[in-house]
């Protein structure tokens, strides 16, 4: 299942992909930089909660920018809802542009939307009322936002030479790392960098912040120092900076500024190595084997996993199912049947090397689109195994998520 488009070397990367390049799956980081819907199959639709989470995040970001246009010092409910409507319209339009995601529109039909966004409006008003208005905070839509060090949505680069006068022109240098910090402020002689996160911020079943978030904010701090030094002539070190992960309730979690090696330098080295491997690869299949590193954290929400040879091979090597995983591959043993009279969900049996699985709660949409035949090798993407005793007509039980992502024929 090759890519139909050539994968290009990475010319720049965002800090949010840094942890993936350094500790996760480099293939995912490369493909996230150059989105490719031709990979393997048609790709996997986005999770509807992801789009709603984007709206929530943008709403809180707007509140933290603290530049209401309604003539008041702080946001009120009417203004917050107007911002919410604009963000929702924008996200709906983005989903409509991709046929795989068009069925998610309008997002307001999703029951989680109202619960999540009502909470977002409340938090946005509360956050904004706790931030003192300043005349120096930039409007992110303005060109001036590229030339400030403090405020919301601050642009930073990994530049290591004096700032070029031709920035923005075609002749300007290409930065290998570029990011935008949610908020930078001053507290006395301390620099405060904050990264806003919505949703879960801790590792599974622990009170430790996600390591990817920590990598990201430390990289933000290093890029801010470089931008301050070479764009503004102001010399800071990491010891001058306080870093905080901020959750959606505006609770701040401090991040240590004591660490040995520059993350920026590490990332530059990985970028150089990865680009060289891309240039030297004989085929995209070979490149997948070189760069892909399947793991639960990287693969769970990766839209490219249906065409990732390394990932599919791992599934097949584990009797069609990774015990800590969420996808299943095997041979169709019977025609899918509805779960009940009038049901839009289906079930079917799937044979792997060692087990006969009952696969339940498959969306009718995927059954209709897949045109399945007995004996087809198929992949069900999005589900989990349920503990069950052996039954007469199956040995293992796999239940699809209610928002099941996809079902595909794997046959060549």
């Amino acid at each position: 299942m090759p890519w139909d488009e050539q994968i290009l070397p990475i010319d720049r990367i965002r800090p949010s992909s840094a942890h993936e390049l350094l500790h996760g799956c480099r293939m995912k980081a490369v493909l996230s930089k150059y989105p490719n819907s031709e990979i393997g199959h048609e790709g996997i639709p986005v999770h509807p909660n992801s789009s709603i989470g984007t709206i929530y995040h943008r709403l809180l970001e707007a509140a933290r920018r603290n530049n209401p246009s309604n003539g008041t010092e702080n946001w009120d409910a009417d203004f917050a809802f107007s911002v919410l409507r604009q963000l929702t319209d924008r996200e709906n339009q983005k989903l409509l542009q991709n046929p795989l995601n068009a069925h998610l529109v309008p997002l307001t039909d999703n029951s989680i939307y109202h619960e999540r966004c009502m909470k977002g409006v409340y938090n946005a008003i509360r956050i904004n009322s706790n931030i003192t208005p300043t005349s120096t905070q930039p409007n992110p839509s303005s060109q001036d936002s590229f030339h400030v060090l403090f405020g919301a949505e601050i642009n930073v680069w990994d530049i290591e030479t004096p700032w070029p006068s031709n920035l923005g022109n075609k002749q300007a240098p290409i930065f290998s790392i570029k990011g935008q910090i949610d908020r930078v402020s001053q507290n006395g002689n301390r620099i405060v960098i904050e990264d806003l996160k919505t949703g879960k911020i801790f590792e599974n079943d622990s009170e430790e912040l996600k390591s990817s978030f920590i990598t990201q904010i430390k990289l933000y701090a290093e890029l801010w120092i470089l931008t301050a030094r070479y764009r503004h002539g102001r010399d800071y070190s990491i010891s001058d900076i306080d870093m905080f992960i901020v959750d959606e309730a505006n609770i701040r979690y401090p991040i240590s500024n004591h660490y040995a090696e520059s993350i920026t330098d590490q990332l530059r080295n990985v970028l150089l190595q990865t680009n060289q491997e891309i240039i030297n690869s004989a085929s995209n299949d070979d490149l997948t084997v070189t760069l892909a590193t399947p793991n639960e954290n990287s693969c769970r929400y990766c839209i490219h996993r249906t065409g990732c040879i390394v990932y599919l091979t791992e599934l097949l090597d584990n009797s069609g199912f990774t015990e800590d995983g969420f996808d299943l591959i095997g041979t169709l043993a019977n025609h899918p049947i509805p779960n009940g009279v009038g049901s839009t969900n289906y079930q079917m049996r799937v044979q792997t090397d060692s087990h006969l699985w009952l696969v339940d709660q498959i969306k009718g949409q995927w059954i209709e689109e897949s045109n399945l035949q007995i004996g087809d090798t198929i992949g069900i993407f999005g589900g989990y195994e349920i503990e069950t005793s052996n039954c007469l007509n199956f040995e293992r039980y796999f239940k699809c998520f209610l928002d099941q992502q996809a079902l595909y024929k794997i046959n060549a």
Side-chain angles (χ1 to χ4, degrees), residues 49-118:
N49 293 1
S50 173
S51 295
I52 294 170
T54 297
I55 293 171
Y56 191 173
H57 189 100
R58 296 300 182 195
L59 182 62
L60 298 192
E61 280 184 336
R64 292 171 67 81
R65 285 200 298 270
N66 192 27
N67 55 345
S69 59
N70 59 345
T72 64
E73 183 173 289
N74 296 314
W75 285 25
D76 56 23
D78 288 341
F79 183 72
F81 275 110
S82 72
V83 174
L84 173 63
R85 284 192 295 271
Q86 293 175 27
L87 293 170
T88 302
D89 290 344
R90 188 185 309 167
E91 199 64 22
N92 277 330
Q93 289 302 313
K94 187 190 301 182
L95 293 173
L96 283 171
Q97 291 170 7
N98 186 336
L100 284 172
N101 300 321
H103 69 284
L104 299 176
V105 176
L107 286 168
T108 49
D109 285 352
N110 189 308
S111 59
I112 297 176
Y113 172 88
H114 300 282
E115 173 189 345
R116 193 93 171 109
C117 291
M118 281 295 293

Side-chain angles (χ1 to χ4, degrees), residues 382-403:
Y384 57 101
E385 182 183 10
I386 295 178
E387 291 289 339
T388 181
S389 59
N390 289 350
C391 297
L392 292 176
N393 62 349
F394 67 91
E395 298 168 292
R396 305 283 282 270
Y397 185 25
F398 183 90
K399 188 173 183 179
C400 295
F401 293 135
L402 292 178
D403 50 18

